[in-house]
Amino acid sequence: MKKNKKIKSQKKNKKKSFGKGAKIFLMFFLVAVLVLFIYLFVDQLQKAIAKSKTVLVPINMVIGTSPEEKFSEPKDVAVDSENNVYISDFGSDKISKFDSNGKLIFSIGKMGNHPGDDKGPSEFNQPSGLWVSQNGLLYVADSFNHRIQVFDSKGKFLKMWSHSFFGPKGIVGDNNGKIYVVDTGNHKIVVFDENGNFIKEFGGHGTSEGKFDEPIGCVFDSKGVLYVSDSNNNRIEKFNPNKKSGEEFLSSFKVSTWHGKNLEFPYLAIYNNNIVTSNASLGAVLRYDLDGKLIAIYKKQDGFSNAQGVAVDSLGGVYVTEAGLGHVDRFDLPR
């Protein structure tokens, strides 16, 4: 009799245990379904927003189609005060300068493996970020030589410096003679004077405010605010670099169509108080106001193939490097 009661008790406990397990399973299942629903809803919402903001633009110039100007993997593009165009070729280790009509003026550079030293001027190892100063000096982030090289407007080498960089990808200067280098592999911004003397650095690896995960491009607005594309965190961060160390961060905004994890190489440009940036995974160029409101998504008919570098000339012409096709397109910003 006692044995029967014990068996009945065991069966009852098993039923309770099974019932509890089923409830837990059902709860997790419902949570998973809810998460999937939210993900799909947000994804569809983002696609709908992107579609409503998308503008097809006609291409009015292509650079890199003739044999003498062919690129392997154009990375960044910069424009000087005379609307001359500079393009870095990450794949063939050269820098080319074109006039505003797309005519080649010069090309400089060849492959040279000189990590962190001052040997091999005008030799590059996957050059990327470019910046042209008001007086026409060209600054090049010689990425995997982990250094900066500087040239005059005719392509003559002037100087170089390094600073324990790891694959720097972006560079820009302010109006006070300071140079800002995006030290991509070390996830920080390093500041120098115009002679390459170290001033300070800020950032560091992370997801919190003021930190970076693979920063790429940088640009100043007219008020001296520095914008940095924090690619793997899918955001653009804003800084006041004149504040003391540790207090430079101002704010940030998300770029919902970036997909991070080394899929994006977004450079930045400023035009009429708008930010222009690339979106490789979307095959597009994005335009935001300075507070992070999306204004438009620009595409050509078949999309930009692996869009990376962007620059805007004084006429509102946007240059975008198509690393996937080996050339650079120009289109006019719609008014």
Side-chain angles (χ1 to χ4, degrees):
M1 192 72 174
K2 287 183 178 179
K3 189 175 181 181
N4 288 338
K5 285 183 177 179
K6 187 176 182 182
I7 290 171
K8 286 180 180 179
S9 177
Q10 287 175 345
K11 286 181 178 179
K12 191 175 182 180
N13 289 336
K14 282 183 180 178
K15 285 181 180 179
K16 285 182 178 179
S17 178
F18 176 78
K20 186 177 180 182
K23 287 179 180 178
I24 293 173
F25 173 80
L26 181 60
M27 182 180 70
F28 277 107
F29 176 76
L30 291 174
V31 169
V33 170
L34 180 61
V35 169
L36 179 61
F37 174 78
I38 293 172
Y39 172 80
L40 292 174
F41 174 78
V42 171
D43 183 60
Q44 290 302 314
L45 180 62
Q46 288 177 350
K47 286 180 179 177
I49 292 171
K51 187 176 181 180
S52 70
K53 297 284 187 178
T54 298
V55 178
L56 290 179
V57 291
I59 303 303
N60 52 35
M61 184 165 63
V62 180
I63 300 175
T65 55
S66 65
E68 67 270 15
E69 60 187 43
K70 190 173 178 62
F71 301 110
S72 171
E73 186 184 345
K75 181 67 69 174
D76 194 18
V77 56
V79 178
D80 66 18
S81 59
E82 298 178 351
N83 287 335
N84 295 307
V85 184
Y86 301 77
I87 299 165
S88 60
D89 193 342
F90 195 75
S92 62
D93 305 297
K94 68 178 181 180
I95 309 296
S96 300
K97 179 180 180 179
F98 299 83
D99 67 18
S100 59
N101 295 312
K103 181 181 178 181
L104 180 66
I105 298 174
F106 66 71
S107 285
I108 54 173
K110 63 179 181 178
M111 171 60 187
N113 189 27
H114 308 288
D117 64 35
D118 58 359
K119 297 177 182 177
S122 302
E123 294 182 7
F124 304 108
N125 190 351
Q126 298 183 316
S128 50
L130 303 174
W131 177 66
V132 185
S133 68
Q134 284 298 312
N135 57 355
L137 298 185
L138 172 64
Y139 291 75
V140 180
D142 185 5
S143 295
F144 290 101
N145 278 328
H146 312 295
R147 64 187 184 183
I148 304 301
Q149 294 199 53
V150 187
F151 303 85
D152 69 13
S153 60
K154 296 181 179 180
K156 179 184 176 182
F157 172 81
L158 298 177
K159 57 190 172 185
M160 69 172 78
W161 74 83
S162 60
H163 180 76
S164 64
F165 296 129
F166 185 56
K169 294 286 197 308
I171 187 167
V172 72
D174 66 13
N175 292 325
N176 300 311
K178 295 176 184 175
I179 309 298
Y180 295 75
V181 177
V182 181
D183 189 1
T184 303
N186 289 320
H187 313 282
K188 60 187 178 183
I189 306 299
V190 190
V191 188
F192 302 88
D193 67 19
E194 56 191 4
N195 295 313
N197 297 307
F198 174 78
I199 297 175
K200 70 171 183 174
E201 60 185 43
F202 56 91
H205 194 210
T207 59
S208 59
E209 294 181 343
K211 300 296 183 181
F212 304 109
D213 188 354
E214 293 285 317
I216 301 291
C218 56
V219 69
F220 277 100
D221 68 15
S222 59
K223 295 181 179 179
V225 174
L226 177 68
Y227 299 76
V228 181
S229 59
D230 185 12
S231 66
N232 283 353
N233 284 324
N234 304 327
R235 65 188 179 187
I236 292 174
E237 296 196 273
K238 301 163 65 172
F239 298 87
N240 180 348
N242 295 317
K243 289 190 175 182
K244 64 181 182 180
S245 294
E247 296 182 3
E248 295 91 351
F249 176 79
L250 295 175
S251 63
S252 67
F253 61 88
K254 282 288 184 182
V255 181
S256 62
T257 52
W258 285 352
H259 290 115
K261 298 307 171 191
N262 304 312
L263 294 175
E264 307 287 348
F265 296 89
Y267 285 89
L268 303 174
I270 290 278
Y271 183 74
N272 280 353
N273 289 320
N274 288 168
I275 299 170
V276 179
T277 187
S278 61
N279 195 158
S281 59
L282 194 62
V285 171
L286 312 178
R287 185 178 183 179
Y288 286 88
D289 69 17
L290 298 182
D291 294 319
K293 179 184 177 182
L294 179 63
I295 297 172
I297 298 173
Y298 301 117
K299 282 187 171 186
K300 63 178 184 178
Q301 191 64 47
D302 52 351
F304 296 106
S305 179
N306 197 4
Q308 298 191 10
V310 291
V312 187
D313 64 24
S314 64
L315 302 175
V318 177
Y319 292 87
V320 52
T321 63
E322 286 198 272
L325 295 178
H327 59 233
V328 177
D329 293 332
R330 183 189 185 278
F331 66 89
D332 290 320
L333 275 177
R335 300 298 177 184

